Amino acid sequence: MLVNSSSRPSIPKLDSVKQEGDNNDGYTNGNENSETLIGEVKVDLQVLTSQKVSDLINIALTYFDHQILCYILNTRKTQELFEDLRAHVDEIGYAEQIFCTYPNNTYISPELIYSLSVIGSIYRDDLPGALFYYELSQRIIFHNYTLSKSSYPKLVALVLNAFFELNRGELSSAWQLSGMSFRMGFDLGLHDSTKEEPDEAMNNLKNLTYWGTFIIDNYAGYIFGRPKMLMYDCDYPIFNNGLNDIKLPHIVGLLAMGDPMITSIYQIMPFKDAEEFKRTFIVKYNQLREYNNRLIQWRNALPKELVWNMSSLKRSARITDHSFKFAFYLMFIILNKPFLLLPIGSDISMFTVICQEMEIIFRNVEDPCYLKNIVVLYVMILVCKLMLIQLLNRNSKKIDEQFERLEFFISYIKVVFKADVWILAKYPLAMLESRVMVLKKELKQHEQVNSQSTPAITSTPSDANAVQVKITGTSISSSSSSGRSNSIVDPMIPYTDENMSQNVGFLKMVDALFSQGTITPTQGMFPVSTAGTPTAAQEQIDNSLHISNNGATGATVQGSSETFNNIFSFDLLDLDAYMQQ
């Protein structure tokens, strides 16, 4: 998902970005004579308080990831202070009173205003505008090339700028900025709940910011396999007040519960004995079934206003905030990913239910901007890759239905997360489209050879059954899902007390993965393409799994202990290696 630094768009100079309309629309830079000294930095108040900036802030506060922004910023107070500043922009000293006087300076700052404008620009698909405000924000944060005093608004500005860098595929820069923000939080004493702030409002803001940054830190760690900085503290209070909503304690609980589970599943084993690897794999598989049971129990135990199932989704999918559901999807998919990569699978039925739920959401949300955040994008990309692998491994009972859903998801990503703005989506999207084209050809060839093996794939929807998903003036056409949506039932708990170490069929498939000998796999296990020259990724997976092409009819798998650590790698490259086949 990462982009080479050499391909990153350049940040335009402040005096080179122009836009039609009023010169004070907030998108053009005035000269230095128009700047006002606010504390230690100079700010152009006409740019800062322009109507354009006001519109962008409204967009950011409306759309930006509800699991993050609403849990890290007192949006009501920040917006009130900004509008107050706009109303008195011509009064000498009023900006100083807003930005440099307690408690106002704990809710708003010039750099935070510009960072919110960056996020607003992204939702307008305006990358040059986002780059423009990003430079303004960074210039203030790193005034005189150093970080000056710590503050809550500066902390939030750093987090928002980190998300922008992540959106551009710049993981290293995003990681550094977010790390600075967390360190600034420690400097402000966010981690110490024993120290009371001057008033209750500040205590609430401190608590809100702590858990907001905790959620962000955990998401980043789960998605990119980086170490987390903020640890869960069960004694740290979660206040129930007007600044956060009912979802916060449950999201924190989900992340805290999932952390040791993921650590256990992805633990790399240092030994090299093949039999011990097989035993460990089976143990992990049984552990995973119990972990999945815990996730389902968490979901079923939610308050009435938060719990969802297939039936309730059909009735309420038009609501704006589905981020809570994607937190669950993220946890389940990351936890199950190593097993979903394989022909043996793991709780495939629950994975299918998640795909069905996501389709209902995507087809019914009237304004997809509410879904435009990094968590949803990552879940969508990973789900599409896993769906494709399920099709390759023939783990899908209804291939035509799953293939239709897969194509719809890819189309949805392509329109909602525009690759020239959400640069992070560019390369995974191109890879998915390429693999789907190859798979479509293979399925048609397979159908021609044996008409009873795989149902036909119809990729062109009929006009009568077409579904239009309207997205800011653009539409996505895909085959209607109404026929199969009516047949969807609510998921059952995908867990039984069966010990898989006693399942003969399961053990045979494990032997196929880890045996030192040469084994002929079942149909669909590690399928190998015969066309073209092997890529570097193909050679990598061939070496790790000892896969050799055996003509058009199949392949042989010579397993090894290396297979274990390849499967349980937390790096996305292992997934891409499977995809290269």
Side-chain angles (χ1 to χ4, degrees):
M1 295 176 66
L2 307 182
V3 181
N4 190 305
S5 296
S6 62
S7 65
R8 64 184 291 168
S10 59
I11 297 178
K13 295 182 179 180
L14 296 181
D15 57 357
S16 66
V17 182
K18 304 293 182 181
Q19 177 164 309
E20 295 179 3
D22 189 353
N23 289 332
N24 292 328
D25 62 0
Y27 200 61
T28 57
N29 186 53
N31 54 54
E32 293 186 1
N33 294 332
S34 64
E35 294 181 337
T36 302
L37 186 65
I38 305 293
E40 299 177 352
V41 298
K42 288 184 177 181
V43 177
D44 188 332
L45 290 178
Q46 296 302 316
V47 174
L48 190 73
T49 61
S50 65
Q51 182 61 48
K52 182 177 181 64
V53 168
S54 178
D55 294 341
L56 292 174
I57 289 178
N58 289 333
I59 292 172
L61 297 181
T62 299
Y63 290 125
F64 188 62
D65 196 349
H66 297 277
Q67 293 180 19
I68 296 171
L69 188 60
C70 291
Y71 294 163
I72 200 172
L73 180 69
N74 186 336
T75 57
R76 180 186 59 79
K77 187 67 174 177
T78 299
Q79 204 156 22
E80 286 179 355
L81 287 171
F82 178 70
E83 293 304 324
D84 189 28
L85 175 66
R86 291 193 69 209
H88 300 84
V89 67
D90 295 326
E91 297 181 20
I92 299 177
Y94 202 86
E96 188 88 11
Q97 181 180 340
I98 292 286
F99 292 128
C100 302
T101 305
Y102 179 86
N104 292 341
N105 60 357
T106 61
Y107 299 104
I108 194 170
S109 68
E111 62 267 32
L112 176 57
I113 291 173
Y114 285 135
S115 295
L116 288 170
S117 300
V118 171
I119 300 301
S121 297
I122 289 297
Y123 280 97
R124 280 187 167 180
D125 295 326
D126 180 10
L127 184 58
L131 290 165
F132 173 76
Y133 293 115
Y134 175 77
E135 185 182 359
L136 288 174
S137 176
Q138 291 288 84
R139 176 193 283 184
I140 296 173
I141 293 173
F142 296 99
H143 175 64
N144 291 332
Y145 303 100
T146 185
L147 281 170
S148 54
K149 301 174 184 177
S150 299
S151 70
Y152 288 94
K154 188 174 295 183
L155 184 159
V156 178
L158 280 166
V159 169
L160 298 183
N161 289 351
F163 271 96
F164 173 61
E165 286 286 59
L166 188 58
N167 176 77
R168 301 167 66 199
E170 297 294 339
L171 179 57
S172 295
S173 177
W175 197 253
Q176 291 163 14
L177 290 174
S178 62
M180 291 177 190
S181 71
F182 301 150
R183 290 280 187 177
M184 188 172 289
F186 292 148
D187 192 35
L188 293 168
L190 293 180
H191 59 294
D192 189 354
S193 63
T194 64
K195 292 183 179 179
E196 293 291 324
E197 295 295 333
D199 54 55
E200 184 179 358
M202 279 304 302
N203 271 323
N204 291 339
L205 181 63
K206 172 181 175 179
N207 182 263
L208 185 77
T209 309
Y210 176 84
W211 288 119
T213 51
F214 170 83
I215 292 170
I216 293 168
D217 190 30
N218 275 263
Y219 275 155
Y222 289 145
I223 293 175
F224 295 103
R226 298 291 183 98
K228 296 184 284 292
M229 185 181 296
L230 303 180
M231 298 297 110
Y232 173 71
D233 184 355
C234 60
D235 295 325
Y236 201 103
I238 301 180
F239 298 137
N240 291 313
N241 54 60
L243 295 185
N244 60 50
D245 65 25
I246 192 174
K247 297 189 295 293
L248 177 57
H250 301 287
I251 290 218
V252 170
L254 175 66
L255 296 176
M257 176 180 66
D259 191 41
M261 294 180 185
I262 292 176
T263 300
S264 172
I265 291 296
Y266 283 91
Q267 181 183 9
I268 299 299
M269 310 306 291
F271 43 81
K272 298 296 182 182
D273 179 74
E275 287 300 318
E276 190 168 1
F277 270 110
K278 286 191 285 186
R279 289 193 297 270
T280 305
F281 180 87
I282 295 171
V283 169
K284 284 181 179 287
Y285 194 93
N286 283 319
Q287 281 181 331
L288 180 65
R289 293 163 70 84
E290 172 59 28
Y291 294 158
N292 284 338
N293 183 44
R294 294 183 197 175
L295 288 179
I296 297 299
Q297 289 178 345
W298 172 90
R299 173 170 166 166
N300 293 338
L302 291 171
K304 183 178 180 181
E305 55 268 44
L306 293 180
V307 72
W308 78 94
N309 54 39
M310 207 78 71
S311 300
S312 64
L313 261 185
K314 294 174 186 177
R315 298 190 302 267
S316 63
R318 293 182 182 274
I319 66 172
T320 56
D321 184 8
H322 291 283
S323 56
F324 192 66
K325 302 175 184 66
F326 280 89
F328 172 80
Y329 299 156
L330 177 72
M331 188 67 64
F332 178 90
I333 291 169
I334 290 180
L335 188 62
N336 285 268
K337 187 188 81 170
F339 299 92
L340 291 169
L341 289 169
L342 303 173
I344 58 176
S346 169
D347 290 321
I348 294 175
S349 59
M350 187 61 204
F351 174 72
T352 302
V353 167
I354 287 175
C355 294
Q356 292 170 337
E357 291 183 353
M358 288 175 58
E359 182 178 9
I360 292 174
I361 293 172
F362 296 147
R363 289 187 182 277
N364 287 277
V365 170
E366 294 181 338
D367 188 351
C369 282
Y370 284 104
L371 297 173
K372 290 175 73 170
N373 61 65
I374 190 65
V375 176
V376 174
L377 174 61
Y378 179 72
V379 168
M380 290 189 72
I381 290 174
L382 196 49
V383 162
C384 287
K385 289 184 176 182
L386 291 171
M387 287 177 68
L388 190 50
I389 289 173
Q390 293 295 309
L391 290 170
L392 289 170
N393 289 334
R394 303 299 190 267
N395 282 341
S396 176
K397 295 180 180 179
K398 299 180 180 179
I399 293 181
D400 55 343
E401 176 182 313
Q402 293 284 29
F403 196 89
E404 178 187 322
R405 182 177 292 119
L406 173 61
E407 288 193 304
F408 170 70
F409 282 179
I410 293 174
S411 298
Y412 200 90
I413 296 174
K414 193 172 183 179
V415 174
V416 176
F417 298 95
K418 290 183 170 57
D420 57 342
V421 179
W422 292 75
I423 300 174
L424 188 67
K426 181 177 180 180
Y427 296 107
L429 185 60
M431 182 272 295
L432 283 169
E433 289 183 306
S434 173
R435 300 296 179 272
V436 166
M437 289 180 62
V438 173
L439 178 60
K440 185 182 295 186
K441 292 179 181 178
E442 291 179 352
L443 289 174
K444 289 183 178 180
Q445 292 173 356
H446 183 71
E447 179 190 348
Q448 293 172 358
V449 173
N450 186 352
S451 60
Q452 297 180 351
S453 59
T454 304
I457 304 298
T458 304
S459 59
T460 304
S462 63
D463 295 338
N465 294 324
V467 173
Q468 298 290 328
V469 181
K470 296 182 179 179
I471 303 177
T472 58
T474 309
S475 64
I476 301 173
S477 296
S478 185
S479 301
S480 173
S481 64
S482 57
R484 49 189 163 88
S485 294
N486 292 332
S487 63
I488 293 175
V489 295
D490 293 338
M492 302 296 291
I493 292 179
Y495 171 77
T496 67
D497 292 330
E498 178 187 7
N499 189 324
M500 297 305 289
S501 60
Q502 300 172 2
N503 185 311
V504 177
F506 176 80
L507 293 179
K508 287 182 178 179
M509 286 187 282
V510 174
D511 285 338
L513 288 173
F514 295 104
S515 174
Q516 296 298 319
T518 300
I519 298 164
T520 302
T522 58
Q523 183 181 14
M525 179 182 287
F526 307 118
V528 179
S529 173
T530 60
T533 303
T535 64
Q538 283 176 316
E539 292 174 356
Q540 176 187 355
I541 197 64
D542 287 352
N543 292 333
S544 63
L545 288 175
H546 303 283
I547 299 174
S548 61
N549 193 350
N550 196 29
T553 58
T556 59
V557 179
Q558 184 177 351
S560 76
S561 57
E562 295 177 4
T563 305
F564 185 92
N565 286 337
N566 284 332
I567 293 170
F568 289 95
S569 168
F570 206 69
D571 195 321
L572 285 177
L573 290 179
D574 67 328
L575 193 59
D576 287 336
Y578 279 93
M579 295 301 303
Q580 288 289 350
Q581 300 183 62

